[in-house]
Amino acid sequence: MSNYEDMLAVKRALRKDIKRALSQISPPLRVTYGEQLQQSLLKSDVYKRATSVAVYISMPEEVPTGEILADLLQSESRKKCYVPLVQGENMMMLRVYSMDDLNSFALNSMNIPEPTLTASTPHGDVAREDGLILSSTDLILEIKIFILNL
């Protein structure tokens, strides 16, 4: 196996473990934890200093990211927001310009909203920036709730 295949196998196993742990948390408690995590992040110095942030669009069984996305995409925010688009084995982190832009995303085969390669802006259609290629993303969020049985 290659390093890439090894990494994918570890990632799959970790996702399975996390999904199992999250399934043991009641939905109301998951919402409470998620709100607390989002508020802590929004108040953190690392978030406040960031100029561009990559974040996933959460699904119901994941830690919510709605407040983070709303904060990043408010009109007075000076932060750039990037969300994932996966094509085959490649992942891009494409720029989102507004809440209207985010809400226009079509659902993929797993019912996850995904950006297109271009965005409609007030100035016309533009190719979306890929924050990973530009190396402009200074904060990448992958938020998980871990339950430790000590």
Side-chain angles (χ1 to χ4, degrees), residues 21-132:
L22 283 173
S23 71
Q24 296 174 9
I25 302 171
S26 70
L29 190 55
R30 192 177 317 141
V31 168
T32 299
Y33 286 163
E35 288 171 354
Q36 291 171 351
L37 281 168
Q38 289 182 95
Q39 287 305 311
S40 293
L41 176 75
L42 292 172
K43 293 175 185 174
S44 73
D45 289 338
V46 69
Y47 179 80
K48 289 177 183 177
R49 284 191 308 267
T51 59
S52 56
V53 179
V55 60
Y56 63 93
I57 300 170
S58 59
M59 300 309 299
E61 67 278 1
E62 296 177 311
V63 175
T65 56
E67 290 180 49
I68 298 164
L69 287 162
D71 186 74
L72 289 168
L73 296 172
Q74 63 183 323
S75 59
E76 58 273 359
S77 175
R78 297 195 183 270
K79 298 179 188 305
K80 291 182 179 181
C81 175
Y82 298 91
V83 297
L85 172 65
V86 177
Q87 293 183 325
E89 293 182 358
N90 299 314
M91 182 176 78
M92 298 173 272
M93 294 303 285
L94 300 181
R95 184 162 179 199
V96 183
Y97 293 91
S98 67
M99 284 303 289
D100 286 341
D101 185 24
L102 178 69
N103 292 330
S104 74
F105 294 174
L107 300 179
N108 67 15
S109 60
M110 296 175 64
N111 286 325
I112 299 171
E114 281 190 328
T116 56
L117 295 174
T118 59
S120 295
T121 70
H123 308 291
D125 288 351
V126 296
R128 291 186 193 274
E129 297 173 11
D130 184 341
L132 297 179

